[in-house]
Amino acid sequence: MQDFRECKDPVMQAAQSIKKVRSRWPATIAVAVVATLVGLVVLTATNRTTDSDPMGSLLATESLVQGNGMALDHYPDLVKSVLGDRVEVVNNRTFYYFPIGTSLLVAPVIALTSAFGVDVVMNDHKIQISLAAASAILTFLLLYIMARRFIGRWMSLLLATSFWFGTSFASSGATALWSHNFGSVMTLAALICLVTALQRQQTSWLVGSAALTGAAFIIRPQAALLAVGVLVLLALRWRRGLPWFLAPFAAVISAFVIFSHTVLDMWLPSYYLPQRLDGGEFWVALAGVMISPGRGLVVFTPLLLILALTLSSWRRI
């Protein structure tokens, strides 16, 4: 009888494997459908802010691809006048003022479009929205992957969908190629690597988390808070992982400093320096971030209200 069971075991295991694969298909298809919907929402939305701060980011990329560093001096005066305060003059050269991480990240895309004769000046709006759609899809998928580290497929899908459609991922991120679009992608990927490292107690995952955190900082300097948070977490819960995070993170930041000094002739762009925050009113800025109708976190992230209701369960989670 025992021999019979052993003989049947491979067959039973194969049947169970097939059953598991089949059970994954509905959720996988649902994730693909929602991801497609996310992309379509970004591509077809009518609320656009491509002429706001993001205008100029792709010009900096085109300049880099064309071998002009990231300076914008060679563009017509009309283009530079339209950019207005989105540019700054450093050492008699004109540069895009806002974070240049996105400009660096999408360089391969602009190199490809330039090879086909696509001019960024004339197609800035279209390229921004196309890249914003790509970042939105990646953000949704990473939200789902993050949730899957803790809960089942369908609840993960519900949570990821709620987070994208119910936060500024949609209300702001779908309107233009903001720095926080791909900044969110890098941040989520860094957090997934961090969670995996902690769950599996494998320091190798911290290397990926550190590199992605460094990339998130380059794309969106506010991600420095993520690096601080990770370091505090590791110091409290897993000190052995500290060097595995610190070394790669420092390497990425060092590479960016060297690039900035070599290409831009400054150690860091002014937007990355703490002096940019001087002279502001803290409480006014905090109110603007939290409740202003233009960018308030509570206004544009109603999902926070649901999370507040679960406050008592956070420690258990």
Side-chain angles (χ1 to χ4, degrees):
M1 187 67 176
Q2 182 67 27
D3 293 340
F4 176 77
R5 286 199 188 102
E6 291 178 356
C7 180
K8 288 293 185 181
D9 276 347
V11 177
M12 293 175 65
Q13 290 175 359
Q16 290 175 353
S17 299
I18 294 173
K19 185 177 180 180
K20 288 181 180 179
V21 170
R22 287 178 177 175
S23 67
R24 293 192 188 107
W25 273 109
T28 302
I29 293 173
V31 169
V33 169
V34 177
T36 302
L37 179 61
V38 166
L40 289 175
V41 166
V42 178
L43 292 173
T44 59
T46 56
N47 181 27
R48 300 302 189 198
T49 57
T50 51
D51 58 349
S52 187
D53 295 351
M55 180 186 286
S57 175
L58 296 180
L59 291 179
T61 307
E62 186 179 57
S63 179
L64 179 65
V65 169
Q66 292 176 349
N68 298 306
M70 300 190 79
L72 306 178
D73 302 290
H74 61 287
Y75 286 101
D77 291 338
L78 177 61
V79 173
K80 287 182 283 187
S81 65
V82 169
L83 292 175
D85 58 4
R86 302 176 191 86
V87 298
E88 63 176 342
V89 177
V90 179
N91 298 328
N92 296 318
R93 300 174 70 193
T94 303
F95 294 100
Y96 179 61
Y97 170 70
F98 293 99
I100 61 173
T102 298
S103 303
L104 298 175
L105 182 67
V106 303
V109 176
I110 300 304
L112 182 62
T113 57
S114 297
F116 285 95
V118 178
D119 180 58
V120 170
V121 174
M122 300 301 297
N123 296 278
D124 183 78
H125 170 85
K126 295 178 181 178
I127 300 174
Q128 275 198 55
I129 296 303
S130 298
L131 291 170
S135 70
I137 293 172
L138 288 173
T139 297
F140 167 74
L141 292 175
L142 288 170
L143 285 169
Y144 175 78
I145 293 171
M146 170 65 87
R148 283 290 292 123
R149 301 302 306 171
F150 302 96
I151 55 180
R153 297 185 187 89
W154 291 106
M155 285 303 297
S156 295
L157 176 58
L158 176 62
L159 193 61
T161 303
S162 301
F163 256 91
W164 194 88
F165 283 98
T167 67
S168 52
F169 283 138
S171 59
S172 296
T175 65
L177 185 61
W178 295 91
S179 59
H180 55 251
N181 284 33
F182 279 107
S184 299
V185 171
M186 294 299 171
T187 297
L188 286 167
L191 289 173
I192 290 171
C193 287
L194 175 64
V195 168
T196 305
L198 291 171
Q199 289 178 337
R200 298 181 181 179
Q201 292 292 291
Q202 294 178 350
T203 53
S204 57
W205 283 93
L206 288 177
V207 176
S209 180
L212 290 164
T213 301
F217 169 78
I218 296 171
I219 294 173
R220 184 73 176 171
Q222 288 82 345
L225 295 174
L226 171 64
V228 173
V230 173
L231 289 173
V232 171
L233 175 65
L234 292 176
L236 293 175
R237 294 191 56 182
W238 196 22
R239 292 184 181 179
R240 186 168 68 90
L242 277 172
W244 289 88
F245 184 88
L246 272 172
F249 178 75
V252 172
I253 300 304
S254 298
F256 178 61
V257 171
I258 293 171
F259 169 85
S260 179
H261 184 65
T262 303
V263 177
L264 309 180
D265 197 25
M266 45 185 158
W267 288 111
L268 278 176
S270 59
Y271 195 94
Y272 295 78
L273 301 176
Q275 290 87 333
R276 183 179 66 86
L277 304 176
D278 288 348
E281 293 289 341
F282 174 79
W283 294 110
V284 174
L286 179 62
V289 170
M290 296 303 295
I291 59 175
S292 73
R295 62 189 302 174
L297 182 64
V298 175
V299 176
F300 286 92
T301 313
L303 189 65
L304 286 177
L305 300 176
I306 298 176
L307 294 179
L309 296 176
T310 64
L311 184 61
S312 61
S313 302
W314 285 10
R315 181 177 295 274
R316 180 176 58 82
I317 294 173

